[in-house]
Amino acid sequence: MSTCNGDDPRIHDIKTKIRVVPDFPKPGIMFQDITTLLLDPKAFKDTIDLFVERYKSKNISVVAGVEARGFIFGPPIALAIGAKFVPLRKPKKLPGKVISEEYVLEYGRDCLEMHVGAVEPGEHALVVDDLIATGGTLCAAMNLLDICSALFSSFTRVIFVSSEHRTCWCRSS
Amino acid sequence: MYPLARCSAAPRVGGAFRFQVESSRAFPSRGKNSPRVVAVTTTHAWSAHLTLNLPHSFIPSSRPHTPACVGAGGDLDTSSKMAFESEAPQDDRIARIASTIRVIPDFPKPGIIFQDITTMLLDPKAFKDTIDLFVERYSGKGISVVAGIEARGFIFGPPIALAIGAKFVPLRKPGKLPGKVISEEYSLEYGTDIMEMHVGAVEAGERGIIIDDLIATGGTLSAAIKLLERVEAEVVECACVIELPELKGRERLGGKPLFVLIKSA
């Protein structure tokens, strides 16, 4: 496991732009709201730059973004590193042939889908979302890519939920 | 993955022209190949409303409006042809982008021909060209807000916002945005839906554009315009990759301008 350099001055500014909203979506949850980060063009750009600097030389040809906030961070990274962008979506949103992966929620189950043919065997893939909590969604994403026999390079998240601090957290599988 | 496209241009001077894109790789349920007429709008239809501090009524551009033409043929006069040649690099981009968009019949329900932009996202050059076309139009125009409509507007809006130095504001389905929001109800074919925006995301007097992948009936974009106008922002333009002109969405934008790269019949 690795983290971004916490001494990078950009990270401090990014942290300060993320808003915490208590009791959303339900009582007891402290919601990490990245939309306030998006209102600061410099902080948003720095966020993308940090990921691009990490991944641009890693032969990544696929950036997969988890609906919906992964759609905000994934495409700019994909564009900057010259990779294709693959949306991973809730059921019945993607037209045509899809593969599906079910995953467990706190109460009940949900499903993530990806287009057949979007990712080819042997491609190096990066999965992007704004936040990891329990990891259920990202595990489903990883499984979808495994089904396509993609070489799973990395997870990328903007935020790792921690009670002590928020960091830009990246992990190599 | 994409329908193979062959373009034969029949350009006409002065505005959008139409060329036929024939899909030679038909989806099984589509039956025999049928040509799909696609009109490509000019990329250089510079309009005064994009400029800061000018009155909203249209002022004739100092640059000639030229059709976006791809391929040879057609009865162009010399002056138009010369203009066409200077436009060719941008026009080639649009034709190529159009060729990467996949058409899915009977989705999400029978009778609907779905324009699938995900295949364009699989082509880094086409995706980059799409973003560049919008960025070229909106850079340096004092746009401080790019609002994107959930969810496919989230794919195109942020890269545009980053490139032009604007903030990105997500417009979302109900219950997704935390904190204080304003809501706008809009009509669907059956029933209604709601779009929400954060309170405080956009300030009065800001100049904004609204992004989505496609305009059909215009209901969603109309709701988005209302949200921004309720906080006294100026909606400079709506921008989409694709327009379905037969559904007349353009007429439902309260007079707001609409810019699209591709018109699809």
Side-chain angles (χ1 to χ4, degrees):
Chain A
M1 298 202 316
S2 61
T3 58
C4 294
N5 180 5
D7 296 330
D8 191 313
R10 292 176 290 181
I11 297 214
H12 177 262
D13 192 44
I14 290 166
K15 285 186 202 179
T16 63
K17 297 289 190 273
I18 295 169
R19 175 174 71 158
V20 178
V21 182
D23 300 321
F24 183 89
K26 55 188 185 185
I29 306 269
M30 300 295 282
F31 189 86
Q32 307 283 329
D33 182 17
I34 51 86
T35 65
T36 42
L37 169 69
L38 309 176
L39 299 181
D40 184 322
K42 181 182 185 309
F44 185 19
K45 183 180 184 303
D46 286 344
T47 303
I48 299 301
D49 286 348
L50 283 160
F51 292 120
V52 170
E53 288 161 18
R54 180 175 178 83
Y55 296 114
K56 62 184 176 184
S57 308
K58 301 287 195 299
N59 194 29
I60 290 170
S61 58
V62 177
V63 174
V66 179
E67 174 172 15
R69 288 184 290 266
F71 288 9
I72 296 173
F73 297 97
I77 297 169
L79 286 161
I81 69 175
K84 50 190 177 186
F85 178 71
V86 174
L88 306 180
R89 297 212 66 176
K90 301 287 171 135
K92 296 186 173 29
K93 300 292 186 69
L94 291 172
K97 289 186 182 172
V98 297
I99 54 173
S100 301
E101 182 73 16
E102 200 174 69
Y103 61 101
V104 177
L105 297 173
E106 186 180 351
Y107 299 108
R109 293 176 173 274
D110 206 339
C111 196
L112 210 56
E113 294 186 341
M114 182 171 77
H115 266 137
V116 169
V119 180
E120 297 178 16
E123 292 206 76
H124 288 248
L126 180 72
V127 180
V128 178
D129 204 353
D130 65 320
L131 178 145
I132 179 172
T134 62
T137 316
L138 281 167
C139 275
M142 183 176 69
N143 289 339
L144 282 172
L145 288 154
D146 277 348
I147 290 168
C148 299
S149 302
L151 293 172
F152 189 65
S153 285
S154 232
F155 289 117
T156 290
R157 281 75 108 222
V158 174
I159 306 166
F160 174 50
V161 177
S162 159
S163 58
E164 294 84 23
H165 60 273
R166 305 169 202 129
T167 60
C168 182
W169 194 81
C170 312
R171 190 190 84 169
S172 295
S173 66
Chain B
M1 191 67 179
Y2 333 124
L4 299 175
R6 183 178 68 228
C7 305
S8 57
R12 60 182 170 84
V13 175
F17 80 104
R18 307 171 81 81
F19 67 90
Q20 284 195 315
V21 176
E22 296 180 358
S23 295
S24 59
R25 187 192 300 169
F27 290 90
S29 59
R30 192 176 182 180
K32 61 184 178 181
N33 295 338
S34 55
R36 171 169 62 91
V37 176
V38 177
V40 176
T41 57
T42 173
T43 60
H44 284 295
W46 177 83
S47 300
H49 67 276
L50 292 177
T51 304
L52 268 174
N53 300 324
L54 288 178
H56 201 70
S57 58
F58 177 75
I59 296 170
S61 168
S62 59
R63 296 173 62 181
H65 285 245
T66 53
C69 302
V70 177
D75 41 348
L76 290 168
D77 60 32
T78 307
S79 60
S80 295
K81 189 176 181 183
M82 285 175 63
F84 154 60
E85 286 171 355
S86 70
E87 300 288 55
Q90 280 85 3
D91 303 339
D92 285 346
R93 287 185 295 179
I94 292 187
R96 188 163 177 284
I97 291 163
S99 73
T100 62
I101 293 168
R102 177 172 68 158
V103 175
I104 306 272
D106 301 322
F107 183 89
K109 56 186 185 184
I112 306 271
I113 307 288
F114 188 85
Q115 307 283 331
D116 182 17
I117 50 89
T118 66
T119 42
M120 178 254 280
L121 307 176
L122 300 180
D123 183 325
K125 182 179 185 322
F127 186 19
K128 182 181 184 303
D129 286 345
T130 301
I131 299 301
D132 286 349
L133 284 160
F134 291 118
V135 170
E136 288 161 15
R137 182 172 181 84
Y138 298 117
S139 286
K141 301 292 193 302
I143 308 273
S144 60
V145 177
V146 174
I149 298 177
E150 175 171 15
R152 288 183 289 267
F154 289 8
I155 295 174
F156 298 99
I160 297 168
L162 286 161
I164 70 174
K167 51 189 173 185
F168 178 71
V169 175
L171 305 180
R172 298 211 66 175
K173 303 281 183 179
K176 300 291 185 69
L177 291 172
K180 289 187 183 173
V181 297
I182 55 171
S183 302
E184 185 73 27
E185 196 172 358
Y186 62 101
S187 297
L188 299 172
E189 188 180 9
Y190 298 107
T192 60
D193 206 342
I194 292 174
M195 183 182 295
E196 295 186 337
M197 182 174 79
H198 265 137
V199 168
V202 180
E203 297 177 19
E206 292 205 78
R207 285 163 56 82
I209 57 172
I210 302 171
I211 306 288
D212 207 353
D213 67 319
L214 179 144
I215 176 172
T217 62
T220 318
L221 275 168
S222 175
I225 292 167
K226 291 192 175 82
L227 279 172
L228 266 76
E229 291 191 329
R230 278 167 60 184
V231 298
E232 298 178 3
E234 178 192 351
V235 177
V236 174
E237 195 160 75
C238 295
C240 300
V241 179
I242 304 165
E243 179 185 7
L244 305 181
E246 288 185 357
L247 298 178
K248 301 189 192 313
R250 186 180 286 264
E251 298 171 13
R252 298 195 182 95
L253 303 182
K256 290 297 175 186
L258 171 70
F259 173 74
V260 302
L261 301 184
I262 298 162
K263 297 186 182 186
S264 185

